């Protein structure tokens, strides 16, 4: 495994941890609740790059 692959694995682990922590802290993500769309979680966790003419924030989840 190269150093870049190892760093990528670390980043994915941190991102997963961030999303899980967010979901545990957010009432909408609790059992028996409505839930949230992926784009909302993506944006509220700070993974978007901001709005661009051809890639709005909510479309950057892809």
């Amino acid at each position: 495994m190269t150093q870049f692959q190892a760093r990528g694995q670390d980043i994915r682990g941190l991102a997963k941890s961030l999303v899980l922590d967010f979901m545990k802290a957010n009432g909408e993500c609790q059992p028996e609740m409505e839930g949230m769309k992926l784009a909302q979680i993506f944006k509220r966790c700070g993974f978007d790059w901001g709005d661009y003419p051809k890639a709005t924030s909510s479309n950057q989840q892809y």
Side-chain angles (χ1 to χ4, degrees):
M1 179 180 303
T2 69
Q3 71 180 31
F4 299 107
Q5 288 172 321
R7 284 176 60 195
Q9 241 179 351
D10 291 343
I11 290 168
R12 282 190 302 280
L14 290 169
K16 181 179 179 179
S17 177
L18 174 66
V19 170
L20 289 174
D21 289 345
F22 171 79
M23 291 178 73
K24 287 176 187 174
N26 189 303
E28 293 179 58
C29 298
Q30 301 309 309
E32 307 297 322
M33 297 303 287
E34 188 173 320
M36 292 181 78
K37 293 183 177 186
L38 178 60
Q40 292 173 320
I41 294 172
F42 182 85
K43 186 184 293 188
R44 296 200 32 206
C45 285
F47 290 127
D48 67 333
W49 295 88
D51 282 325
Y52 288 89
K54 295 186 179 184
T56 61
S57 179
S58 60
N59 285 334
Q60 292 173 22
Q61 64 177 322
Y62 307 110

